[in-house]
Amino acid sequence: MPVRRLTRCAVLTALALALSVCEGLFPLTVLFPLPGLRLGLANLVTVYALCRLSGREALAILVARCFLGNLLGGNLTALAFSLTGGLLALGVMALLLRLPGLSLYGVSIAGAAAHNTGQVLAAMVVLDARAPLVYLPPLLLCSLVTGGATGGVAGLLLRRLPEKA
């Protein structure tokens, strides 16, 4: 990978990590009493990377963010949730971006729903129980709001930032 692309990936990884840490300071659980609910600001970087870089680079940024975030304050369980949700969201968004006519709102909402689904699946594996499925319907409902918000901001960013930076 050329140095310029590697540097861009490193900067985007740092940005995604910073957004993730900052959003942890303002928990959405005050408004919606669901454990672990977050706006998904780091998803802005994933959407940007999928649209402006490559799927491989978006994957590298996502995995690096998950592992670095775990080093900064997580544990293996948090890593399992973050990585499972992130990988499922990345895969869904990468597929949906190939569909003509689907807006970034739709892509981001689907990514948020996939992320929440991945986290619930990870919780089911970690706990060896089906109980986490109870959280899935309200989390999917919240995905409409969180995914719509990040999709709107991602659209603004992609329109305002130059193709080649």
Side-chain angles (χ1 to χ4, degrees):
M1 178 184 302
V3 172
R4 185 180 185 108
R5 288 187 83 86
L6 183 63
T7 303
R8 184 178 299 142
C9 286
V11 168
L12 289 173
T13 299
L15 177 61
L17 187 58
L19 287 171
S20 183
V21 169
C22 286
E23 118 181 291
L25 300 174
F26 306 102
L28 284 181
T29 54
V30 172
L31 300 173
F32 304 101
L34 293 169
L37 182 65
R38 295 174 65 143
L39 186 55
L41 294 177
N43 189 47
L44 292 170
V45 176
T46 304
V47 172
Y48 176 83
L50 279 171
C51 291
R52 293 286 164 89
L53 304 176
S54 70
R56 179 177 292 159
E57 290 164 321
L59 175 64
I61 291 166
L62 172 76
V63 170
R65 177 185 57 83
C66 289
F67 277 101
L68 290 170
N70 183 57
L71 283 174
L72 287 177
N75 54 45
L76 288 180
T77 305
L79 177 62
F81 293 170
S82 178
L83 204 49
T84 304
L87 291 172
L88 191 57
L90 177 71
V92 165
M93 290 189 302
L95 288 173
L96 292 179
L97 279 170
R98 296 173 186 246
L99 295 178
L102 187 60
S103 71
L104 278 179
Y105 285 103
V107 170
S108 189
I109 288 169
H115 194 281
N116 287 330
T117 302
Q119 288 189 320
V120 167
L121 292 173
M124 289 172 60
V125 169
V126 168
L127 298 173
D128 192 25
R130 292 187 181 168
L133 278 175
V134 172
Y135 287 116
L136 191 56
L139 284 173
L140 292 177
L141 191 59
C142 289
S143 297
L144 294 171
V145 175
T146 60
T150 56
V153 174
L156 287 172
L157 286 174
L158 289 168
R159 281 193 295 276
R160 303 268 187 223
L161 294 176
E163 287 271 336
K164 301 283 184 185

